[in-house]
Amino acid sequence: MLSSLRTGVQGLWRMSSRTLHTTSSLQHDSLFVHRDTPEDNPNIPFEFSPENNKRIEALLAIYPEGHKRGAMIPLLDLAQRQNGGWLPISAMHKVAEILNLPRMRVYEVATFYTMFIRRPIGKYHVQVCTTTPCWLRGSDKVLNAIKEATGCEVGGNSPCGKFSLSEVECLGACVNAPMVQVNDDYYEDLSIEDTKEIIEKLKRDEKPKPGPRSGRFASEPLGGLTSLTEEPTGPGFGLQDALKA
Amino acid sequence: MAGALTRVIQGSKTHLGVVGSLVNINNGSVRFAQTKTQFGPLADSDRIFTNLYGRHDWRLKGALKRGDWYKTKEILLKGTDWIVNEMKTSGLRGRGGAGFPTGMKWSFMNKPSDGRPKYLVVNADEGEPGTCKDREIMRHDPHKLIEGCLIAGRAMGAQAAYIYIRGEFYNEASNLQVAIAEAYQAGLIGRNACGSGYDFDVFVHRGAGAYICGEETALIESIEGKQGKPRLKPPFPADVGLFGCPTTVNNVETIAVAPSICRRGGSWFASFGRPRNSGTKLFNISGHVNTPCTVEEEMSIPLKELIERHAGGVTGGWDNLLAIIPGGSSTPLIPKDVCTTVMMDFDALVAAQTSLGTAAIIVMDRSTDIVKAIARLIMFYKHESCGQCTPCREGVSWMNKIIYRFVDGNASPKEIDMLWEISKQIEGHTICALGDGAAWPVQGLIRHFRPELERRMAEYAAVHGPSQAERLY
């Protein structure tokens, strides 16, 4: 409200006003505040499945006594996976119950991290990296190709409901740029044809082969190795004298 | 997160009255005297990450064949002082961007125990644009990392290691988890690790998408289950860290080279690279090159040779080069004339007013819209800012708005100085180094490409008349 007041006042004064300070109204890609909808409200029960309950016990064992709060992110991730790729409010309440924390502590974490999706999402969440290293290698074309092929707008779901498209920050596969992440897999070294092929396969519910599409296996230079051309050395190679006892 | 730790080094240097080499602090140990002046291609037999490209088996059997887990028990039995001494002799500097001497960092944990357990935390968050080296270690050579955790843990008296891996790296985390399970089953970690009598656990904790969690205190907060908002330092993690206990946070590559250093000797590692910049390094070469790749090379190798030998050269030839970002997005760019002669190590790049960072080389040729490239980086920082402190939250957002106007030229040349001033007001005034990381690319752009910015503004003004900024001020 204050921010719209500021915009209104600025419009009247016709010059930038630094006297009315408000925080920017858009800090995040998705809405911070939860709005109850028919698909996502606290009255829909959420329970972890029996297999997930076993996983929860294993996860909780990692953290020392008194610090089980550390399992917050893994538990929320588990809930998201069980719920088809997005995190409903009742799952957050369940995690708060398991960790014996106020619900607000879970809300804080669920809104802070970008991988927690808090709205219904399609079966295939296509995340396109558009940060500078990928942008230099043509991520704009890849993004446009996906928009055309799926009919999604960035940040939205496709009309058929199967795809969701997001523009994300660096995914950590920069030498294999441009690339996209679909659910858990990386599809790298993409050209426009590769991108279309991947989307077509996903439309038919077939899993495209993850990894680089240009013919290389991982991050070696395409067209021939320039290092590691010899067989790897074996145990004890170059062992120092102090250990040769 | 280079800035904060760089500030620590400056602080400790003046505090201790040490002007010259940091290595002088460790008295009595054998120090390798480097005599080479040419640093060139590394021989395969000197490479540490022999399965970098995943052509061999990454599981325990393959790892054992390549020499991992060899004489680990003997190394552990040598004890804390020996291991830390090897690390100091090797001159290894942190590979996560800040370049803090690792031997010194581990020796900070060498305090008498006050009842609290000690922890090692491995930073596998790898969010810096341009960087994708830790991914190769974790999916193709995970046993080097696990053995490194054990040896580092022994060196600092830790009882467990938490490997914080970014959430997007699901398959890499899966490989790592399988490798850890194999190591537990073979008795290499866990109770009585490798038969040395030392108990050590290794756990994997997956993140959920936040670049800021690559900062060491934010990483600790994230493992504790809170928002990844960095803490103020002091108190340093070596005093109050994970779960309130003494902790050391190290990068994956730093930990993964530790077993090789202990096995082959600190002097062997120090024989590569110039003094105070020793060892080998994984370089990621991306952007406008013919064959982008990850490669392990000697430190202090000339940048031009590195790109031409391993990445097939700049697209369109070396003369088609515009600028290079040498160490991941947080480092200022360097123009072509600097790139032709600069060496890839910490000191040479600091002298060129940039930094080695994570050695993630982003190459941009003359077809690049350089202002847009940097603007996209500032948008990245604005998105990833945690929002805790005002200079970063408001300042980076403000820089983002200004620099996107610079892309079109819808600005006044006076605003270039204003943008510089804003970046200087953010740099050094924030809780963590994300503010510095956002300020530096802008400074690099203004320092080397001011004529380009002014040209755009003149072009815009010729078409649209004076910009709003020009009219108002």
Side-chain angles (χ1 to χ4, degrees):
Chain A
M1 192 221 102
L2 256 156
S3 51
S4 28
L5 182 66
R6 174 186 67 173
T7 327
V9 168
Q10 276 175 220
L12 279 175
W13 291 358
R14 282 181 220 278
M15 62 192 208
S16 57
S17 150
R18 290 173 80 165
T19 54
L20 264 180
H21 285 273
T22 62
T23 50
S24 11
S25 45
L26 186 65
Q27 289 272 45
H28 202 262
D29 305 323
S30 46
L31 197 58
F32 257 150
V33 189
H34 170 76
R35 302 263 191 257
D36 279 345
T37 60
E39 305 93 36
D40 186 11
N41 61 67
N43 299 319
I44 302 177
F46 180 90
E47 286 297 328
F48 280 108
S49 64
E51 306 85 52
N52 279 345
N53 275 322
K54 289 208 198 81
R55 291 193 179 106
I56 291 175
E57 276 174 40
L59 282 168
L60 288 171
I62 291 181
Y63 305 93
E65 276 311 314
H67 296 283
K68 299 297 180 190
R69 182 178 179 171
M72 172 91 74
I73 295 176
L75 287 183
L76 285 171
D77 179 67
L78 201 59
Q80 182 164 288
R81 275 170 201 278
Q82 183 179 303
N83 200 53
W86 66 283
L87 199 60
I89 191 107
S90 32
M92 295 185 217
H93 293 172
K94 185 80 199 149
V95 172
E97 194 192 307
I98 295 175
L99 294 174
N100 197 17
L101 288 170
R103 289 173 173 179
M104 182 47 84
R105 302 288 155 250
V106 184
Y107 298 161
E108 281 173 351
V109 171
T111 51
F112 185 84
Y113 296 96
T114 55
M115 281 178 75
F116 294 131
I117 315 289
R118 290 173 282 111
R119 60 177 185 88
I121 201 126
K123 189 171 174 195
Y124 301 111
H125 185 193
V126 181
Q127 299 153 70
V128 185
C129 174
T130 53
T131 317
T132 301
C134 279
W135 174 75
L136 289 170
R137 305 276 302 178
S139 68
D140 286 340
K141 295 201 206 97
V142 169
L143 184 62
N144 286 331
I146 297 179
K147 272 201 245 182
E148 258 180 63
T150 56
C152 281
E153 280 309 310
V154 175
N157 296 358
S158 62
C160 59
K162 224 178 204 176
F163 294 96
S164 300
L165 179 60
S166 319
E167 212 180 305
V168 291
E169 305 297 339
C170 183
L171 284 170
C174 316
V175 301
N176 295 90
M179 46 80 65
V180 303
Q181 182 182 6
V182 180
N183 296 349
D184 289 326
D185 296 306
Y186 278 22
Y187 297 92
E188 306 158 348
D189 281 338
L190 298 173
S191 64
I192 300 184
E193 295 74 43
D194 293 325
T195 315
K196 290 193 187 142
E197 201 191 301
I198 290 171
I199 301 292
E200 291 309 312
K201 270 216 159 122
L202 289 172
K203 278 184 183 163
R204 296 193 299 267
D205 280 320
E206 288 164 22
K207 184 169 179 195
K209 186 164 162 290
R213 290 246 152 187
S214 55
R216 54 175 168 169
F217 178 68
S219 62
E220 72 272 17
L222 189 63
L225 288 178
T226 57
S227 66
L228 293 178
T229 46
E230 297 164 15
E231 273 300 302
T233 54
F237 181 85
L239 194 67
Q240 66 164 318
D241 294 331
L243 288 172
K244 275 187 185 153
Chain B
M1 302 297 145
L5 282 165
T6 324
R7 285 179 255 170
V8 170
I9 300 180
Q10 315 298 11
S12 59
K13 268 173 107 162
T14 45
H15 176 71
L16 293 163
V18 171
V19 175
S21 154
L22 289 159
V23 182
N24 286 339
I25 295 171
N26 82 41
N27 35 11
S29 64
V30 173
R31 185 167 155 235
F32 180 85
Q34 179 62 278
T35 48
K36 280 202 293 194
T37 47
Q38 293 276 62
F39 303 95
L42 204 56
D44 273 347
S45 53
D46 284 326
R47 290 202 155 93
I48 296 176
F49 297 105
T50 43
N51 195 24
L52 188 63
Y53 302 132
R55 295 192 167 200
H56 310 282
D57 177 24
W58 55 268
R59 289 173 189 245
L60 186 57
K61 217 158 141 243
L64 289 169
K65 238 171 63 167
R66 287 193 302 277
D68 296 329
W69 298 109
Y70 183 74
K71 291 217 181 239
T72 315
K73 179 179 174 184
E74 283 77 355
I75 296 175
L76 294 175
L77 289 174
K78 290 274 189 185
T80 302
D81 292 329
W82 185 88
I83 299 174
V84 174
N85 203 30
E86 283 301 313
M87 301 307 286
K88 285 184 175 168
T89 312
S90 72
L92 173 67
R93 288 172 71 165
R95 298 297 195 229
F100 193 86
T102 307
M104 192 193 285
K105 197 172 189 180
W106 290 7
S107 68
F108 290 156
M109 295 283 272
N110 195 16
K111 289 178 283 235
S113 166
D114 51 5
R116 294 178 296 164
K118 295 183 189 165
Y119 291 107
L120 167 68
V121 171
V122 180
N123 187 344
D125 194 58
E126 193 157 71
E128 182 88 0
T131 314
C132 45
K133 59 179 176 73
D134 297 334
R135 175 180 190 222
E136 308 303 333
I137 300 175
M138 288 187 291
R139 61 179 174 160
H140 294 148
D141 240 335
H143 281 283
K144 289 215 157 61
L145 177 59
I146 302 170
E147 195 188 351
C149 288
L150 176 60
I151 291 178
R154 180 75 183 93
M156 53 181 84
Q159 73 171 26
Y162 286 84
I163 303 177
Y164 184 99
I165 183 169
R166 67 180 291 180
E168 291 88 341
F169 282 172
Y170 185 81
N171 295 318
E172 289 77 0
S174 162
N175 274 23
L176 187 59
Q177 192 69 74
V178 168
I180 290 176
E182 286 181 322
Y184 266 111
Q185 259 194 323
L188 297 167
I189 49 178
R191 296 194 70 79
N192 196 15
C194 293
S196 64
Y198 175 56
D199 298 335
F200 191 73
D201 286 312
V202 179
F203 303 119
V204 170
H205 174 108
R206 282 183 62 228
Y211 165 74
I212 185 61
C213 289
E215 204 276 335
E216 66 172 358
T217 51
L219 196 136
I220 293 175
E221 289 281 298
S222 189
I223 298 182
E224 290 182 354
K226 306 177 208 159
Q227 298 182 306
K229 292 186 168 172
R231 300 174 182 166
L232 280 167
K233 293 192 285 198
F236 292 94
D239 294 317
V240 180
L242 184 62
F243 310 133
C245 304
T247 310
T248 302
V249 183
N250 270 127
N251 182 256
V252 167
E253 197 186 342
T254 315
I255 299 288
V257 300
S260 301
I261 291 177
C262 290
R263 262 195 286 275
R264 297 178 70 164
S267 329
W268 164 80
F269 196 75
S271 70
F272 305 115
R274 296 194 300 171
R276 286 179 294 285
N277 298 281
S278 0
T280 64
K281 181 82 184 69
L282 286 174
F283 291 95
N284 298 115
I285 310 166
S286 58
H288 292 145
V289 287
N290 287 314
T291 55
C293 66
T294 306
V295 64
E296 183 179 2
E297 262 296 347
E298 187 176 1
M299 285 280 280
S300 311
I301 187 173
L303 177 56
K304 184 162 189 243
E305 188 185 329
L306 182 64
I307 293 177
E308 302 205 318
R309 182 181 291 273
H310 295 289
V314 180
T315 47
W318 186 257
D319 287 323
N320 197 28
L321 177 64
L322 182 64
I324 286 183
I325 298 177
S329 66
S330 298
T331 54
L333 53 77
I334 37 176
K336 172 165 170 271
D337 44 333
V338 177
C339 299
T340 313
T341 50
V342 79
M343 290 193 280
M344 290 302 285
D345 63 16
F346 293 102
D347 295 337
L349 287 169
V350 168
Q353 293 181 298
T354 177
S355 158
L356 181 64
T358 54
I361 301 164
I362 304 173
V363 178
M364 293 179 277
D365 70 12
R366 290 193 191 282
S367 72
T368 318
D369 182 342
I370 188 88
V371 188
K372 199 161 183 199
I374 303 295
R376 182 60 182 83
L377 288 179
I378 307 304
M379 179 152 101
F380 167 81
Y381 286 107
K382 175 197 150 204
H383 187 265
E384 299 291 348
S385 168
C386 74
Q388 228 185 157
C389 58
T390 308
C392 177
R393 185 188 62 245
E394 304 299 330
V396 177
S397 192
W398 193 9
M399 285 203 302
N400 184 46
K401 286 188 203 157
I402 297 176
I403 206 164
Y404 266 98
R405 279 191 294 113
F406 281 19
V407 172
D408 301 321
N410 181 10
S412 146
K414 295 179 219 138
E415 294 192 275
I416 301 178
D417 297 301
M418 185 174 93
L419 184 59
W420 179 274
E421 192 199 337
I422 298 172
S423 75
K424 281 293 179 190
Q425 288 182 334
I426 299 172
E427 188 186 346
H429 297 131
T430 51
I431 294 178
C432 78
L434 191 145
D436 304 342
W440 287 329
V442 168
Q443 288 172 6
L445 180 70
I446 294 175
R447 186 181 297 133
H448 296 293
F449 285 94
R450 185 184 277 257
E452 170 65 22
L453 293 168
E454 290 177 343
R455 184 191 68 77
R456 283 186 198 213
M457 293 174 192
E459 248 178 47
Y460 183 91
V463 173
H464 297 105
S467 67
Q468 186 182 31
E470 194 69 63
R471 278 182 273 127
L472 288 172
Y473 301 113

